[in-house]
Amino acid sequence: MDIGKNLKEITESLPENVRLVAVSKTKPNVDILEAYNAGHRIFGENKVQDLTKKHEELPKDIEWHFIGHPQTNKVKYIAPFISLIHGVDSIKLLRIINKEAIKNNRTIDVLLQFHIAKELTKFGLSPDEADVLLSSEAFKQLTNVRIVGVMGMATYTDDNNQIRNEFRVLKSIFNSLKNKYFSDSKFFTEISMGMSGDYPVAVEEGSTMIRVGSKIFGERNY
Ligand SMILES: *Cc1c(COP(=O)(O)O)cnc(C)c1O
């Protein structure tokens, strides 16, 4: 695996407004440093314990993203430094993130995760559930958490039409939330969609942030 070369190939193919989150979950620090030394700064992890360890051990100018669904009792460990949490889908989690952000005297950016795939196992809100959440009093009271966009995962399939349609659904959810709840907001801008197998389609459908792991670092052995 030539990590630097893989990164270069992907970043050179991206429009300027699309950022790449290099998903380094399960990968050792040497691999991350290889990407870092090639100039990359945004990395994504999905386990709190691994993320805090890597944050301690690696250069401090890395921008760390949490790309899943943090357990509520573990948010406190990432709250001091996390740049963006991609997988938020409940008011309960938002309230805990808000509480930990206050303790750290900062604001934490998050994305609302939507369920766009056919697979039932994937996490995420429906548009109706998002309406309930965003109209609630509990949400309006959150002072230190900022919803900066949406995130979703397409079905794991080689049917590109299906994948494309699912990404279109996420883009249209983004547009309608923007109109309904965030029309005055300069920061509601992000659509996190696209992984190793489907990011070219995601970019065509309006992604602003792709999350790519195996295409940079090689297959993961769990
Ligand atoms: C693991 C993971 C990715 C990256 O997957 P690859 O197929 O290796 O690119 C992206 N997003 C989420 C939420 C993940 O858990």
Side-chain angles (χ1 to χ4, degrees):
M1 263 291 145
D2 187 336
I3 291 170
K5 181 163 160 274
N6 296 342
L7 269 171
K8 191 157 183 274
E9 267 174 27
I10 297 168
T11 46
E12 282 180 355
S13 76
L14 296 177
E16 236 172 62
N17 66 319
V18 181
R19 284 188 289 163
L20 168 64
V21 180
V23 175
S24 50
K25 63 189 187 197
T26 78
K27 298 295 175 182
N29 287 351
V30 283
D31 288 6
I32 298 172
L33 280 172
E34 202 171 323
Y36 181 89
N37 290 330
H40 201 74
R41 292 294 180 271
I42 309 175
F43 293 88
E45 292 279 333
N46 68 347
K47 294 228 160 56
V48 166
Q49 207 172 348
D50 295 346
L51 174 52
T52 47
K53 191 157 184 289
K54 287 174 177 176
H55 170 256
E56 268 168 38
E57 294 169 351
L58 288 163
K60 289 298 170 286
D61 61 341
I62 288 178
E63 183 180 310
W64 290 105
H65 291 204
F66 194 89
I67 57 168
H69 205 75
Q71 283 174 267
T72 48
N73 60 341
K74 293 192 175 159
V75 170
K76 58 175 176 281
Y77 301 113
I78 59 172
F81 66 87
I82 199 74
S83 289
L84 181 61
I85 300 176
H86 288 236
V88 173
D89 68 354
S90 71
I91 187 69
K92 179 170 177 235
L93 184 53
L94 279 170
R95 289 174 78 162
I96 285 165
I97 295 168
N98 184 63
K99 191 178 91 188
E100 297 301 330
I102 291 170
K103 280 193 203 159
N104 286 279
N105 196 22
R106 61 185 297 242
T107 295
I108 296 179
D109 285 349
V110 305
L111 302 174
L112 286 184
Q113 181 166 358
F114 283 88
H115 185 264
I116 54 171
K118 288 254 162 64
E119 293 124 314
L120 291 173
T121 50
K122 288 192 171 146
F123 282 111
L125 297 162
S126 68
D128 286 347
E129 288 166 338
D131 277 328
V132 171
L133 190 160
L134 293 167
S135 322
S136 69
E137 271 314 307
F139 174 68
K140 287 172 195 153
Q141 281 164 20
L142 304 180
T143 50
N144 290 50
V145 65
R146 196 164 73 163
I147 295 176
V148 299
V150 300
M151 178 267 205
M153 290 165 89
T155 304
Y156 189 72
T157 169
D158 48 24
D159 179 350
N160 267 343
N161 276 330
Q162 185 180 343
I163 292 169
R164 189 178 295 283
N165 283 329
E166 291 173 359
F167 287 148
R168 280 189 185 162
V169 167
L170 188 60
K171 167 86 189 187
S172 81
I173 291 171
F174 171 85
N175 286 339
S176 82
L177 294 182
K178 174 112 189 133
N179 285 332
K180 231 165 145 178
Y181 301 101
F182 299 99
S183 55
D184 307 328
S185 141
K186 280 203 276 298
F187 46 78
F188 190 81
T189 51
E190 302 295 341
I191 305 175
S192 167
M193 60 185 187
M195 306 173 30
S196 290
D198 57 22
Y199 76 84
V201 180
V203 168
E204 284 170 16
E205 297 305 329
S207 173
T208 66
M209 213 178 254
I210 60 172
R211 311 174 310 270
V212 177
S214 41
K215 203 145 190 263
I216 298 169
F217 297 107
E219 294 301 320
R220 290 175 292 272
N221 347 296
Y222 285 98

